[in-house]
Amino acid sequence: MTSLSGSGVTASGERPATAHPHARQRSRSAIGVVIALIAVAGLCAAPFFVYPVFIMTVLCFALFATAFNLLLGYVGLLSFGHAAFFGGAAYFAAHAVKVWGFEPLSAILLAAAGAGVMGLLIGLLAIRRQGIYFAMVTLALSQMVFFIFLQAPFTHGEDGIQNVPRGHLLGLIDLNQPLNIYYFVLAIFLLGFFAVWRIVHSPFGHVLQAIRENENRAISLGYRVERYKLAAFVMSATIAGLAGAMKAIVLQIATLTDVAWQMSGEVVLMTLLGGMGTIFGPSVGAALVVTMQNYFATSNVPVTVIIGVIFVLCVLLFRRGIVGEAIRLMSRR
Amino acid sequence: MTMIFGIPLPALLGQLLIGFINGSFYALLSLGLAVIFGLLRVINFAHGAQYMLGAFAAYLLLAYTGIGFWPALVIAPLIVAAISALIERTMLSRLYDLDHLYGLLFTFGLALILEGSFRWYFGAAGQPYSGPQILAGGTNLGFMFLPNYRGFVVVASIVICLAVWLLIEKTRLGAYLRAATENPQLVQAFGVNVPLLLTLTYALGAGLAGLAGVLAAPVYQVSPLMGSNLIIIVFAVVVIGGMGSIGGAIITGYVLGILEGLTKVFYPEASNIVVFVIMAVVLMLRPAGLFGKEV
């Protein structure tokens, strides 16, 4: 029950449609590299044209969605509790910087490691159930994390940790300068994105996709499916934590919003809208959702309703997502 | 004053009653979830929103038409059931052939739309809704004071749970339903209208949520967000009980409500998370749930 029929298009695993599958595959990955280079060039130039904090927010959520997609798109596991790792790491990083006086990079890495440990604990429990139960278990456990953060003294309850200092990177580079922090965030984003890309295209990643396609067959081939799932869960949680910690430094705040179940829902939407099981999809979805939230935040229109409507439309009509549809159109040609 | 483990008896019984009432709602909601899941294989994320819808239907009936609690107890669930049946027919039924996760995601979107709209229109604050006059006040049981309405909620929820259990286990309609859960194709071949049965089942489950909402309206306030936090606890209840059995869902609901109430007495800090902790323990010891078989 874990295979997602809508995600049949993947970056590496699509069926060869013509007599020259390898040539087609090579040209496809060449297109991917070109798109990636253009995107990186665009991101390097972007702060000169667009408000940097906005792009940094998009980058944080794009990395979050990419980490989430590692699980949903490539292992077929729907975690409905990823906000626990994102928001948890935001709290850890904010606390480390503000109270312990950590340098920003080490605070972010520490927070990501903390999210990884949380991922190990939650993952150990969650992988004991499959399919739809997995979603409910992760949701319930993340709600428990929410209540723990609500009551833990260091999180300051409803106020959250505010006015988190950005500090100096490695004690040298002043991150209060907009361009400095922008390129710092971009570097971490690219690192995290590349890590997910590497995982997906490694032999390990191919086993994950085999589990998604047919778990029983993977078991009978001798793979210890539980271990693979757990490893993927921890990796996804760690990278989601990286994104959350970065968000705490960028927006200088860590609040309960980051750990609430609505946040878990949002990352599902970003991935679904952009295209699950595609490398670029989650980033596209994150950019769209963040833009939309910014756009409607000042208007009278309730954002929750719009997010709900997009959810329903995606599920009913548009299950491949934007990038998934684009890939399908390209490979049809 | 009688003390048990250093806690005054009335305080203990008071929390026990609150736990019992919460448990009544857990039981009603997890029952509806189990009924829907049993046949449709859909986790109805909109269950909390449908519960909220029931409460608001009762509130709006009173505010705009003057229809009071007792008629609303019948009309509001029917409204929720009718709306849900329409949604099932037009949208949800298209997703049955796909992975079950899409049903979850669809109903999640639905919940966001419903809660977002009500929040936009009514604000996040709760609206008071008064229960029936006849159940105002309370009864002194000698060892504790029991508000009449709360006593009524406990009794009513037990009666409703039993009625649904009897409907599913003992009637002809229930037999069709259980048969269709086992093998829909075969039941269809015998001439039973399975798509209609699916619609009715979804309407029944949603109607139960609406009924719980009406019952909850005088106890808690009527607010757009009343269902969203509850539904996550109910999910945990369902994971603990396992969705294989209707009776299991009901019993687990009551037991967890009472355990939560007891936690409020002995270790209040943990009362928010006790259900989730129990879920974690059950997952470690009996992954399929207490009454469940892995689906």
Side-chain angles (χ1 to χ4, degrees):
Chain A
M1 290 306 171
T2 46
S3 95
L4 290 168
S5 43
S7 60
V9 263
T10 62
S12 64
E14 82 279 7
R15 271 176 220 101
T18 64
H20 307 287
H22 293 291
R24 176 174 277 264
Q25 188 137 336
R26 226 173 292 140
S27 79
R28 269 280 309 288
S29 57
I31 293 174
V33 170
V34 170
I35 292 177
L37 287 177
I38 294 173
V40 170
L43 284 170
C44 286
F48 300 101
F49 304 102
V50 193
Y51 184 48
V53 172
F54 171 73
I55 318 174
M56 287 191 279
T57 314
V58 169
L59 288 177
C60 292
F61 281 101
L63 185 57
F64 182 25
T66 303
F68 171 80
N69 184 43
L70 175 62
L71 216 50
L72 177 63
Y74 294 100
V75 203
L77 293 174
L78 172 60
S79 158
F80 230 106
H82 252 49
F85 312 123
F86 182 78
Y91 273 125
F92 298 151
H95 187 76
V97 167
K98 192 173 178 184
V99 181
W100 294 340
F102 265 50
E103 174 274 334
L105 182 62
S106 47
I108 288 176
L109 294 179
L110 179 79
V117 173
M118 284 168 69
L120 182 65
L121 296 175
I122 292 182
L124 271 173
L125 288 169
I127 57 162
R128 299 177 74 92
R129 298 299 286 271
Q130 296 182 331
I132 210 108
Y133 282 99
F134 182 86
M136 295 203 292
V137 170
T138 45
L139 175 63
L141 290 173
S142 79
Q143 187 73 356
M144 179 165 89
V145 170
F146 174 86
F147 281 120
I148 291 171
F149 279 121
L150 177 66
Q151 286 170 2
F154 83 96
T155 61
H156 303 284
E158 303 279 343
D159 294 337
I161 305 178
Q162 299 180 358
N163 300 323
V164 178
R166 283 179 175 170
H168 289 66
L169 178 60
L170 303 172
L172 299 170
I173 304 166
D174 184 5
L175 290 185
N176 291 305
Q177 298 294 324
L179 282 184
N180 289 355
I181 188 164
Y182 178 81
Y183 288 112
F184 171 59
V185 166
L186 181 59
I188 292 187
F189 167 79
L190 291 175
L191 202 75
F193 193 92
F194 180 72
V196 172
W197 185 83
R198 250 339 280 155
I199 293 169
V200 167
H201 291 88
S202 67
F204 171 78
H206 286 280
V207 176
L208 295 183
Q209 289 163 57
I211 294 172
R212 178 192 71 194
E213 293 303 324
N214 194 330
E215 185 165 347
N216 290 333
R217 191 175 290 174
I219 293 171
S220 46
L221 283 172
Y223 290 108
R224 298 201 166 189
V225 169
E226 270 70 39
R227 291 190 181 179
Y228 280 90
K229 282 183 178 175
L230 184 62
F233 196 88
V234 172
M235 289 174 192
S236 174
T238 309
I239 298 171
L242 192 65
M246 207 158 73
K247 195 233 100 181
I249 304 290
V250 168
L251 299 180
Q252 303 184 282
I253 186 167
T255 62
L256 288 171
T257 320
D258 303 332
V259 273
W261 60 267
Q262 288 91 340
M263 183 64 83
S264 300
E266 265 172 39
V267 77
V268 179
L269 178 66
M270 289 169 184
T271 308
L272 190 64
L273 179 62
M276 58 177 145
T278 65
I279 278 286
F280 296 109
S283 302
V284 173
L288 280 173
V289 171
V290 173
T291 310
M292 196 188 65
Q293 281 171 336
N294 262 24
Y295 184 77
F296 287 114
T298 48
S299 77
N300 193 19
V301 187
V303 181
T304 326
V305 177
I306 295 171
I307 288 185
V309 170
I310 298 177
F311 240 110
V312 167
L313 290 178
C314 275
V315 172
L316 285 177
L317 310 168
F318 200 57
R319 280 183 288 274
R320 286 190 186 86
I322 294 169
V323 174
E325 288 290 347
I327 291 178
R328 193 174 67 102
L329 286 177
M330 270 165 49
S331 42
R332 204 191 259 168
R333 242 186 341 191
Chain B
M1 195 182 282
T2 324
M3 306 278 273
I4 293 179
F5 301 121
I7 309 283
L9 188 62
L12 185 68
L13 290 173
Q15 286 301 339
L16 214 54
L17 176 68
I18 292 177
F20 211 156
I21 288 173
N22 286 340
S24 304
F25 293 115
Y26 296 164
L28 280 174
L29 290 174
S30 58
L31 170 64
L33 273 182
V35 167
I36 292 175
F37 182 78
L39 190 52
L40 279 70
R41 296 281 172 233
V42 166
I43 291 292
N44 186 27
F45 215 119
H47 218 64
Q50 283 151 346
Y51 160 85
M52 179 271 298
L53 211 56
F56 260 99
Y59 166 77
L60 292 174
L61 281 172
L62 184 66
Y64 288 100
T65 63
I67 292 174
F69 177 81
W70 297 111
L73 202 53
V74 179
I75 300 172
L78 286 179
I79 294 174
V80 177
I83 294 173
S84 306
L86 194 68
I87 290 169
E88 194 275 343
R89 213 73 294 267
T90 53
M91 291 182 271
L92 187 58
S93 57
R94 294 159 192 267
L95 302 174
Y96 293 152
D97 294 338
L98 303 171
D99 192 284
H100 301 329
L101 296 179
Y102 288 111
L104 174 74
L105 294 176
F106 171 79
T107 49
F108 177 71
L110 196 63
L112 290 182
I113 295 174
L114 288 171
E115 284 171 0
S117 322
F118 275 80
R119 190 174 182 181
W120 175 65
Y121 196 79
F122 292 97
Q127 321 275 346
Y129 179 82
S130 51
Q133 273 301 318
I134 191 169
L135 293 175
T139 313
N140 196 342
L141 299 179
F143 52 89
M144 70 176 292
F145 182 79
L146 174 72
N148 286 340
Y149 183 76
R150 293 180 180 228
F152 164 74
V153 167
V154 171
V155 175
S157 75
I158 293 175
V159 170
I160 295 164
C161 287
L162 274 178
V164 173
W165 184 78
L166 284 175
L167 173 75
I168 290 171
E169 298 292 334
K170 303 290 174 200
T171 66
R172 196 173 183 79
L173 184 65
Y176 285 152
L177 215 139
R178 279 177 291 134
T181 305
E182 292 293 324
N183 192 334
Q185 283 84 12
L186 196 62
V187 175
Q188 177 102 44
F190 281 146
V192 176
N193 188 343
V194 171
L196 179 67
L197 206 57
L198 292 171
T199 309
L200 285 179
T201 307
Y202 190 70
L204 171 68
L208 275 173
L211 185 58
V214 184
L215 285 174
V219 181
Y220 314 110
Q221 286 192 319
V222 180
S223 106
L225 303 176
M226 64 193 284
S228 63
N229 291 322
L230 187 62
I231 192 63
I232 301 179
I233 300 179
V234 174
F235 277 177
V237 171
V238 163
V239 172
I240 294 168
M243 275 189 293
S245 101
I246 300 285
I250 298 171
I251 295 167
T252 317
Y254 283 112
V255 170
L256 284 168
I258 291 168
L259 283 177
E260 198 183 44
L262 287 178
T263 315
K264 271 193 193 116
V265 181
F266 292 106
Y267 189 52
E269 291 80 7
S271 63
N272 278 333
I273 60 168
V274 62
V275 173
F276 304 120
V277 173
I278 295 172
M279 184 190 79
V281 173
V282 168
L283 279 174
M284 279 189 281
L285 301 178
R286 232 186 109 89
L290 296 178
F291 300 88
K293 45 184 194 281
E294 192 67 66
V295 192

